Amino acid sequence: MSSKKRIVIIGATSAMAEHCARLWSQKQAVDLVLVGRDAQRLERVASDLRVRSPESGLQTVVAQFLDPAAIDATVGQIFASGGVDIVLIAHGSLPDQADGQENLQACREALEVNGISPVLYAEAFAKRMAKADSGCIALIGSVAGDRGRKSNYIYGAAKGLVTRYAEGLQHRFAGSGVKVVLIKPGPTETPMTSHLKAKGAKLASVESVAGQIVDGVAAGKACIYAPRKWWLIMMVIRHLPAFVFNKINI
Ligand SMILES: NC(=O)c1ccc[n+]([C@@H]2O[C@H](COP(=O)([O-])OP(=O)(O)OC[C@H]3O[C@@H](n4cnc5c(N)ncnc54)[C@H](OP(=O)(O)O)[C@@H]3O)[C@@H](O)[C@H]2O)c1
């Protein structure tokens, strides 16, 4: 039996997740299980990590992201080959808000990939970690989930679902050996935001956000705003009265 920490990453081809994997495997040798929807993209991430951390174990798993039975089976197979110390649930996509307002199929897909799918994965890990009374479930939500805004409320609603879900999971596991960490990144430079960067948006570096995620998970924080200033920004936005908020173009 390996004594290395076993870390599973769902949505392992995400830039944020890939940088977290680099940091985890650079601190010490770890056993990484990289889960994604595309074998080639997963292998590209795995090959890079193998070079960076030759002592780390690396496994790739191509999986389904919406089918509950398939998700349960994937997570069951991962546990069949050993316990899990940390799972980082990272996948997501930033939908076009205007498209979602016109096209209900696009709206549904955005809600499913950003809201339902992460919750199904987290539940599949939660029931197995509950039995072991150990493990950490880290979910990437977003500052967008803190208050619905006209510019991205479909994505925000899905991330808000993840927020409320993580709160409940934290309540369920309070005082137990299972930790639940909710990560709320602000706008960060990754492929997801390349169109925003082209428009001149100010974005945090993916390296700094990944650093905060890895440190926050190690500290067992309940909620990580990354960069930290977004805690204050969103606290103000959450508390603005509607008569002020409705006049702001955000
Ligand atoms: N970047 C930001 O500004 C920002 C801000 C707040 C929150 N977030 C959240 O941070 C997390 C990581 O995002 P990122 O910035 O690292 O973006 P990214 O590099 O674009 O990665 C997105 C990830 O989601 C996967 N994905 C996208 N659509 C999918 C689908 N329909 N089914 C399954 N997997 C799908 C992608 O898989 P493929 O490689 O196979 O496409 C990839 O692994 C996401 O949950 C995102 O919502 C990002």
Side-chain angles (χ1 to χ4, degrees), residues 65-107:
F65 280 77
L66 292 177
D67 178 48
I71 289 171
D72 204 32
T74 297
V75 176
Q77 277 162 18
I78 291 171
F79 274 84
S81 50
V84 174
D85 296 293
I86 299 170
V87 57
L88 174 66
I89 301 176
H91 61 288
S93 74
L94 187 59
D96 181 69
Q97 172 66 28
D99 185 30
Q101 290 170 204
E102 288 302 318
N103 173 352
L104 295 192
Q105 184 59 31
C107 179

Side-chain angles (χ1 to χ4, degrees), residues 79 83-85 125 128-136 176-179:
F79 274 84
V84 174
D85 296 293
F125 279 90
R128 294 170 172 96
M129 286 183 175
K131 277 190 193 136
D133 194 33
S134 79
C136 172
S176 83
V178 180
K179 297 277 167 284

Side-chain angles (χ1 to χ4, degrees), residues 11-17 36-38 41 65 89-94 113-114 117 140-144 155 159 184-193 196 203 206:
T13 54
S14 123
M16 254 182 229
R37 60 176 170 170
D38 182 278
R41 282 198 289 274
F65 280 77
I89 301 176
H91 61 288
S93 74
L94 187 59
V113 70
N114 292 299
S117 174
I140 305 189
S142 171
V143 294
Y155 175 73
K159 292 295 192 180
K184 295 183 184 179
T188 306
E189 192 172 343
T190 69
M192 183 179 283
T193 52
L196 300 178
L203 303 169
V206 68

